[in-house]
Amino acid sequence: MQQTALVGLLVLTPAAFAMAQTAEAPRTPWGAPDLSGYWEYRSTTPLERPAELAGRATLSPEEEAAYLVERHAAIGRERDLQLNADWWQPGGLTDGRTALIVDPPDGRLPARTPAGRERVRTLDVGFRARTADGPEDRERYERCIMGRTVPLMAVSPNRLAQIFQTPDYVAILHEQNSDLRIVPLDGRKRPAEVVRQWQGTSRGRWEGDTLVVETVGFNGKWTLRGAGPNVRYVERFRRADARSLDYQFTAHDAESFARSWTVAFPITRATGPLFENACHEGNYSMPLILRGARAQERERR
């Protein structure tokens, strides 16, 4: 009952999502909901509901405190794998929730197809086991080439972004690796199918007071939990009140999953400015990774 009620609140149809505002959204001079400004999002809630919490959509404050002891320890172990990552600041669960996935109702990713499982093995967690003959062997994030900002994903490290808005465009600038996504709202066509990009191609539209952004056309060189190059992400941004946005995205990818799946979390007002993400300055991770690989090779001789 508890889980069903929560899913009913969080997994909204597009029409319900547009109507669920608790207060009149601040508006731009041209009448659109005003999404501009600084925003942040983070969560210690895992993407998928842990097996030991099956059937538990939320935890009481006391249960959450007990659960976070091990959750924070696991995050610490992950942080230790990313050298120079002392800026990680684990917090609490989002509304006491045990999963960011709100559909399927069990809070778990749908079953993956064989292609989806292979992408997880080779493009997702598999990058930690790759060779390290040179920096080009390592994942792009380790090389400070690009962040992971399409779609948005709330994780333990805080994510800070700034939204710019005009009648014809919405632009989202992320502090993480200074990623910038420009979303046209003027109905223009997408590039030809042969043009595929790391972050895909986004197009937006207003459905009532909800900004809907659809992104397709990925190059397939990275994956989100097994998603393939033909995935279609549908994101929804809705101004909930003066201090927050409601955000959700749905991944449509029949080539990789048995069904679509939806993630939801809040985005809250933040204080700027954004600073340059000088990822390479003082970054010893890459030389240490390569030096460690050489040491392991010497041990195996």
Side-chain angles (χ1 to χ4, degrees):
M1 179 69 71
Q2 180 187 32
Q3 182 169 353
T4 302
L6 182 71
V7 170
L9 287 172
L10 292 175
V11 184
L12 302 176
T13 64
F17 195 82
M19 295 173 61
Q21 290 174 284
T22 59
E24 180 67 20
R27 295 188 177 274
T28 64
W30 55 91
D34 189 355
L35 308 181
S36 63
Y38 298 102
W39 302 94
E40 64 181 350
Y41 54 100
R42 61 180 295 188
S43 179
T44 303
T45 296
L47 177 65
E48 293 188 88
R49 182 167 298 126
E52 64 271 21
L53 296 177
R56 301 293 309 282
T58 61
L59 300 179
S60 69
E62 295 76 18
E63 292 169 329
E64 177 180 345
Y67 169 71
L68 285 176
V69 173
E70 176 54 35
R71 177 68 175 150
H72 286 170
I75 291 171
R77 291 191 291 270
E78 173 68 17
R79 181 183 61 196
D80 291 342
L81 293 173
Q82 298 190 30
L83 302 179
N84 303 343
D86 291 339
W87 42 268
W88 282 33
Q89 297 179 349
L93 303 181
T94 295
D95 299 325
R97 290 164 48 196
T98 58
L100 292 179
I101 291 177
V102 294
D103 188 47
D106 64 0
R108 305 284 297 178
L109 285 166
R112 295 185 182 93
T113 65
R117 292 195 295 271
E118 179 65 10
R119 276 188 283 273
V120 169
R121 187 184 71 82
T122 58
L123 293 176
D124 197 358
V125 296
F127 79 83
R128 295 195 183 283
R130 289 203 315 270
T131 58
D133 293 336
E136 65 277 359
D137 295 318
R138 306 307 302 175
E139 200 257 6
R140 74 191 194 285
Y141 187 65
E142 293 177 333
R143 298 160 64 191
C144 300
I145 292 176
M146 185 181 300
R148 304 182 180 110
T149 55
V150 180
L152 307 188
M153 183 66 74
V155 292
S156 292
N158 187 39
R159 297 285 173 84
L160 184 63
Q162 185 175 6
I163 297 179
F164 304 86
Q165 193 173 349
T166 73
D168 295 325
Y169 294 92
V170 167
I172 307 174
L173 174 63
H174 294 267
E175 189 173 55
Q176 183 190 48
N177 283 56
S178 300
D179 277 0
L180 174 64
R181 177 162 47 144
I182 299 176
V183 182
L185 308 177
D186 55 7
R188 69 180 61 187
K189 293 183 179 179
R190 298 182 185 274
E193 174 66 19
V194 294
V195 179
R196 288 179 171 264
Q197 304 183 75
W198 282 91
Q199 304 265 38
T201 301
S202 296
R203 295 290 184 266
R205 65 182 183 276
W206 290 102
E207 292 184 356
D209 285 346
T210 298
L211 174 64
V212 180
V213 179
E214 296 195 29
T215 305
V216 298
F218 295 89
N219 62 14
K221 295 182 180 180
W222 69 282
T223 183
L224 175 60
R225 301 300 182 97
N230 295 320
V231 63
R232 178 171 62 95
Y233 291 115
V234 180
E235 299 168 276
R236 289 184 166 84
F237 300 78
R238 180 182 61 80
R239 190 70 185 261
D241 53 43
R243 302 290 305 170
S244 64
L245 301 175
D246 288 334
Y247 174 79
Q248 70 176 40
F249 76 81
T250 300
H252 302 275
D253 186 3
E255 296 176 3
S256 305
F257 299 97
R259 55 161 292 184
S260 61
W261 48 281
T262 298
V263 167
F265 53 84
I267 299 174
T268 58
R269 177 62 77 189
T271 301
L274 269 64
F275 293 96
E276 175 196 5
N277 189 277
C279 187
H280 286 290
E281 294 184 8
N283 182 358
Y284 302 105
S285 299
M286 187 57 64
L288 289 175
I289 289 172
L290 300 180
R291 190 181 305 167
R294 303 293 81 78
Q296 290 177 336
E297 291 168 354
R298 288 192 295 270
E299 291 177 356
R300 289 194 293 266
R301 290 175 184 172

